[in-house]
Structures are given as structure tokens and as C-alpha cells.
Amino acid sequence: MVLLRNFILLALICGIFSSITASRILELSDRFLDIRKEGQWLLMMYAPWCAHCKRLEPIWSHVAQHLYASPIRVGRVDCTRFTNVAQTFKIKGFPTILFLKGEQEFTYHGDRSRDEIVNFALRLSGPPVQEITKTQSFEFLKKDRDLYFLYVGERSGSLWELYHKTADVFQPHAFFYQSHPTVVDKHAPVENTPALFVYKESTHYNFTGHNVSSIDVLNETLHKWVNAERFPSFPKVTRGNINQLFLTKKNLVLAVVEENQLEEMTPDMIEFRDMIESLIKSKRDKYHEHFQFGWIANLELVNSIAMMVVPLPNLLVINTTTNHHHFPEDEAGKLTPHAIEIFLEQIHSENVPKYGGNSWFVHFFRFWFETKTTLIAMWKGNPVLTTVIFGLPAGFLSLICYGICCPDILDADDEEEEEEEKKHIKKD
């Protein structure tokens, strides 16, 4: 009896919590267009029939719960009912995540995880560069932010103006801060001001390209540096961030491993991934300028890039400028840090075989490979449904082709029958 009472109490608590969480999301209609410029909005544009939207629903509830105490209002719009909203924001796919702030409108292109979406909204909710006025704030930043940019110095001069301009461009992708030497204290190694750092992997890395006389060169150098440094040294690569990683214009070095549905890996996969990670961290100065490292467990995406079923674990290197890719000649199980270093040096000197690219033949072959892979997966998952989906259209198409190509045969048969009838009539 006591056990039953406890179970009922737990169920009630869970039900109340679920209703509270769900209530944080504002269900919006066409009337939203009248207040869209008032305040800050984080919106999910969805369709009830969309499977991706349904998978995002529990994550969206957590996002709304996390941002409830902030000035950001979290809502969603059923674009199948309120088509005016979809047309106003030019929604072309579902789900689409938007952040609205006055006249400004930003579209989210990252991973559909709670932390990534929340950070996206928090970055855009404030100014492009946030000022740090207390030394204690850096303790919070280091615990709460895995990566951020920091300008130390007065808010004047060419470097500050270009830093603010660059922060405005990359605000959806990274946090940007400004402070003074007395406030920074021992949290960043400031010798001369102005100084610029990126903080990641618990270390500050200094921007060294500001000692140039040309404003245009400084602007280009700073933009390139921020664009390359806004990623961790060894991130998990997904469909959500791979396009952003391509913008670095570096060689993308991917440790290809396999995860189960619980995002767990076997010991050999973990060992291979950790070996690649230790290499980049120990050789950062050597490879950081030309290579961006990461690891990937999306085998469907990897096979699409390679246009083959990639053996696991493996190492895939993509030239983000030409879209060519490379594989080491050694088997993955025999790869050592020294062998990988030789392989990367050969890539940098362009002395290794390259595959893929941007030619029309490669695009056609990739389309054929993806189509074949999709059909095989559908057949293995449900052969009856696959037969119905593709068998019925093929049957109708065959009948149409037969009717178009063979009318003369049918007419000939009718003419022969008429002639035979005439002969019988004459004989009679």
C-alpha cells in the first residue's frame, strides 16, 4: 500500500513538472506578426507531420525551461495552420529555428541539442561584445563557457574597431568579451594592451597578427583567425556543424568511429579516437594552421562523403577548399601517431592520392551511391513497403509506355478482325 501511494505521488510530481515545462513554450498564431519586433524571441517553425520536429519537441521543452528566467521568450508556430507566418519568414524546411531581436533575424544552423540552442540564443540576446567589469566574473566564464574571445584594453583604436566588427559577424557562433588589465588580473597573460585571446581547452591562445600597418590586412587576418579559432581543437562533427567547419578552409581530419543509440563506443573505437585527440593536442603548433581535427560517428554522412562504405575505425581527411578527400594507405588498426604524422605531412605537400572533388561525374556518382544506399536501407527495413512504393509506380509507368509505344499493334488486330468479318459476309 505504501509502495502504491509513493508511486502515485511520484506520477503526480512528474505530471506537474511536465505540464510546467510544456507551459514555458508559447503557442503562437498569425497574430504574432503584430508583435514580432517587441522583445526577443526564440522560435521553432514546425509542421505536425514532420518527424524531425517531433524529435525536437522534448529538447525544445528543455530549452524553454532553461531560458524561462531570461528576457528571451520561447515559442513555436504550426506553419501548416498559420501560413502567413511561414510566408513572412520564408520558411522552406522544418523544423526551422529563428531568433528575433527587433529588426534583426537569425537562423540557427547548429546541432539540435539543448546546450547548443540555448547558447545560440544567449549569444544573440546581448550586444556583440559584452564587457567584463569584475575579476570574479572570469571564474564563472571559465566554468560556463568552453570557448570565448577576450579583448583586453580600451574601447578605442583600430584593433578594437575591427574586433567589434568581427564579433558582430560571428555573434551567432561564439561569445565575445572585453575587459581591462586590472580586471583580468591573472586570468589571462596580459603584457601589453591592446591584447586579444581565445580561451578553449582551459588555455588562453594569443592573437599575434595585429602588428601590421595595413587596416585591410589586419581586418582579413583577424577575420580568418576568429573563423578558425571558434571551434574546439577536437569537436564532434555532425550534420549540424560540418558546413561551418568547411568555412575554415583547412584540411578537416576526422577520426571515424561508431556509436550505438546510447552514444556509447567499444574500447577499440575509444582508443582510436583518443589517439587522434592526443596527437593534435601534443602537436598543436605544428598542425593548427593547416588542419582542423575532429571525430565523427555519423556513418551515413561519412559514407556519403567517401562514396563508399568506410571500414571502422578509420581516418578521413577532407580538403574543405576542393572537396577532395584522402585515406591513409595503412589499415586503421595499424595506424600509429608517427604514421599519422607522415600521412598529414604528405597531405600538406600534396603527395597522396586524392578522391572526390567537385566535377559533374563525382556529383552524379555521389547521387547514385546515396540513392542505392537509401534503397538498400529501405529494403532491409521493410521489403513489403518498399515493393509497394516502387512497384506500383513502375507498373503504372509500364502500362503508360505500352499504351504509347504499341497502339499500332492494337489497331492492327482490330483491322484484321474487321477484314475476316467482311470475308465471311461475302462467302455467305
Side-chain angles (χ1 to χ4, degrees):
M1 191 69 181
V2 176
L3 182 62
L4 178 61
R5 185 171 65 251
N6 291 339
F7 178 77
I8 294 173
L9 180 61
L10 179 62
L12 288 173
I13 293 173
C14 292
I16 293 172
F17 180 77
S18 299
S19 63
I20 291 174
T21 301
S23 67
R24 309 299 192 197
I25 302 175
L26 301 174
E27 296 288 346
L28 304 173
S29 65
D30 285 340
R31 295 181 179 179
F32 168 71
L33 296 176
D34 298 329
I35 60 171
R36 52 175 288 198
K37 297 179 182 180
E38 299 177 8
Q40 300 177 353
W41 296 88
L42 182 65
L43 304 178
M44 178 177 75
M45 304 296 184
Y46 76 99
W49 47 261
C50 172
H52 297 291
C53 300
K54 292 178 180 178
R55 282 196 291 269
L56 184 60
E57 283 181 3
I59 298 172
W60 199 248
S61 297
H62 288 299
V63 170
Q65 181 68 23
H66 194 90
L67 295 174
Y68 181 70
S70 73
I72 304 169
R73 287 173 285 185
V74 181
R76 65 177 187 172
V77 181
D78 182 353
C79 292
T80 61
R81 292 179 58 195
F82 308 109
T83 55
N84 287 339
V85 178
Q87 292 174 359
T88 299
F89 293 106
K90 299 178 181 179
I91 304 301
K92 298 180 180 180
F94 304 111
T96 296
I97 298 174
L98 300 177
F99 184 88
L100 307 180
K101 184 171 62 173
E103 298 286 345
Q104 295 179 297
E105 176 184 326
F106 303 89
T107 303
Y108 179 72
H109 297 291
D111 289 334
R112 292 168 186 166
S113 64
R114 189 204 70 171
D115 291 342
E116 290 295 326
I117 297 173
V118 166
N119 284 333
F120 167 76
L122 291 176
R123 285 193 289 264
L124 291 170
S125 64
V129 181
Q130 302 178 44
E131 185 178 9
I132 306 298
T133 58
K134 297 180 180 179
T135 303
Q136 296 82 355
S137 299
F138 283 100
E139 295 293 342
F140 166 77
L141 284 180
K142 290 182 177 181
K143 291 179 181 178
D144 198 59
R145 306 279 187 259
D146 294 329
L147 191 152
Y148 63 81
F149 292 90
L150 174 64
Y151 175 93
V152 182
E154 298 296 330
R155 292 181 168 232
S156 60
S158 57
L159 182 60
W160 161 253
E161 292 176 359
L162 294 178
Y163 174 70
H164 193 279
K165 177 182 176 182
T166 306
D168 191 52
V169 173
F170 289 103
Q171 187 181 7
H173 308 291
F175 289 96
F176 294 85
Y177 298 99
Q178 177 268 334
S179 190
H180 301 276
T182 55
V183 178
V184 172
D185 196 21
K186 297 180 180 179
H187 290 284
V190 180
E191 295 181 358
N192 299 306
T193 58
L196 182 56
F197 305 91
V198 60
Y199 176 83
K200 58 183 176 181
E201 284 91 43
S202 302
T203 305
H204 284 93
Y205 297 101
N206 193 9
F207 172 67
T208 59
H210 57 277
N211 295 321
V212 294
S213 57
S214 172
I215 296 296
D216 293 335
V217 174
L218 177 59
N219 183 37
E220 182 180 354
T221 304
L222 180 59
H223 186 280
K224 182 179 179 181
W225 181 76
V226 171
N227 185 43
E229 295 291 351
R230 63 190 175 100
F231 301 101
S233 298
F234 196 67
K236 182 177 182 179
V237 179
T238 64
R239 286 190 183 274
N241 63 8
I242 191 169
N243 289 327
Q244 290 295 318
L245 287 165
F246 265 61
L247 297 178
T248 62
K249 302 301 180 182
K250 295 182 180 181
N251 289 296
L252 185 56
V253 184
L254 299 177
V256 184
V257 294
E258 185 177 23
E259 288 181 332
N260 60 20
Q261 294 182 347
L262 299 177
E263 296 186 350
E264 298 172 338
M265 289 186 287
T266 57
D268 61 322
M269 298 290 171
I270 295 175
E271 181 181 358
F272 182 78
R273 184 193 65 178
D274 291 348
M275 179 182 67
I276 305 300
E277 183 177 12
S278 62
L279 175 64
I280 176 55
K281 289 187 175 179
S282 62
K283 304 284 186 178
R284 185 183 190 278
D285 294 339
K286 181 178 181 180
Y287 295 116
H288 184 67
E289 183 179 355
H290 303 288
F291 296 93
Q292 169 65 51
F293 287 72
W295 64 280
I296 185 169
N298 188 331
L299 303 184
E300 180 183 349
L301 177 58
V302 171
N303 293 338
S304 175
I305 293 172
M307 295 174 291
M308 58 176 286
V309 178
V310 177
L312 300 174
N314 216 321
L315 192 67
L316 171 65
V317 181
I318 307 171
N319 186 321
T320 58
T321 302
T322 65
N323 285 336
H324 288 101
H325 60 270
H326 315 275
F327 286 106
E329 295 181 357
D330 298 333
E331 296 181 8
K334 298 180 180 179
L335 283 175
T336 62
H338 180 66
I340 294 174
E341 285 190 60
I342 295 175
F343 175 57
L344 295 179
E345 289 173 4
Q346 290 174 338
I347 291 176
H348 183 54
S349 59
E350 300 183 355
N351 289 326
V352 291
K354 56 184 180 181
Y355 311 94
N358 291 317
S359 67
W360 66 268
F361 176 78
V362 171
H363 286 292
F364 175 79
F365 186 81
R366 179 171 285 112
F367 172 77
W368 175 84
F369 176 81
E370 292 178 351
T371 303
K372 181 187 71 172
T373 304
T374 301
L375 291 177
I376 292 174
M378 290 178 62
W379 176 261
K380 289 181 179 180
N382 195 328
V384 176
L385 180 62
T386 304
T387 302
V388 172
I389 291 175
F390 293 98
L392 289 178
F396 282 119
L397 183 62
S398 299
L399 290 175
I400 293 171
C401 292
Y402 182 80
I404 294 174
C405 300
C406 307
D408 295 338
I409 297 177
L410 298 176
D411 294 340
D413 292 338
D414 293 338
E415 291 175 359
E416 289 178 359
E417 291 178 359
E418 291 177 0
E419 290 179 0
E420 290 180 0
E421 290 179 0
K422 290 178 179 179
K423 289 180 181 179
H424 284 302
I425 292 173
K426 288 180 180 181
K427 289 180 180 180
D428 294 340

